[in-house]
Amino acid sequence: MRDSHRVEAERVLVRAVGEEVRRAGGGVDAEVLLARGREALDGLAGVADEEYAAYVAALDEAAAGAQSLGEALRRAGSGTALLVTAVAAAAAAGADMAFGVDAGTALSAGIVVGGGGG
């Protein structure tokens, strides 16, 4: 099991044991439950080796093909990003003016949105 997956499984196990101890009113030994849970986790990991390997391979394959929104926009060209930013800035200024905000404040809002989009 990958270290990150093992850490997450341990975190969930500790939370579950803590909840069980709380429900039992402290009448349950948390260390015994944790030990049993870890043994069960090791047993499950051993039985599911083939399935886990397929899962990890799928994760690696998905991560290899993944790209961030910024990368996608850079590949598409900067024209799309500029257009989206301009429309958002104009919409912010227009919406403010439609609500009766003075033109200077509305224009400032548009500039802030444009700067954030840039």
Side-chain angles (χ1 to χ4, degrees), residues 29-69:
D29 186 6
E31 292 304 316
V32 171
L33 282 179
L34 274 174
R36 287 183 187 164
R38 287 184 179 118
E39 286 176 22
L41 184 61
D42 291 338
L44 286 171
V47 171
D49 276 340
E50 185 177 330
E51 291 84 358
Y52 184 75
Y55 168 72
V56 168
L59 281 179
D60 291 343
E61 183 178 326
Q67 63 181 357
S68 70
L69 178 60

Side-chain angles (χ1 to χ4, degrees), residues 45-112:
V47 171
D49 276 340
E50 185 177 330
E51 291 84 358
Y52 184 75
Y55 168 72
V56 168
L59 281 179
D60 291 343
E61 183 178 326
Q67 63 181 357
S68 70
L69 178 60
E71 290 170 345
L73 288 175
R74 277 192 292 279
R75 286 192 180 134
S78 62
T80 303
L82 290 175
L83 178 64
V84 168
T85 301
V87 169
D96 277 354
M97 290 180 73
F99 284 117
V101 175
D102 67 272
T105 304
L107 183 60
S108 296
I111 290 171
V112 167

Side-chain angles (χ1 to χ4, degrees), residues 10 13-39:
E10 288 275 340
L13 178 63
V14 168
R15 255 185 42 210
V17 166
E19 181 62 25
E20 184 59 31
V21 168
R22 187 190 63 76
R23 269 191 267 158
V28 178
D29 186 6
E31 292 304 316
V32 171
L33 282 179
L34 274 174
R36 287 183 187 164
R38 287 184 179 118
E39 286 176 22

Side-chain angles (χ1 to χ4, degrees), residues 2-15:
R2 283 185 176 174
D3 288 341
S4 61
H5 295 160
R6 181 65 186 212
V7 167
E8 181 65 20
E10 288 275 340
R11 187 184 64 76
V12 170
L13 178 63
V14 168
R15 255 185 42 210

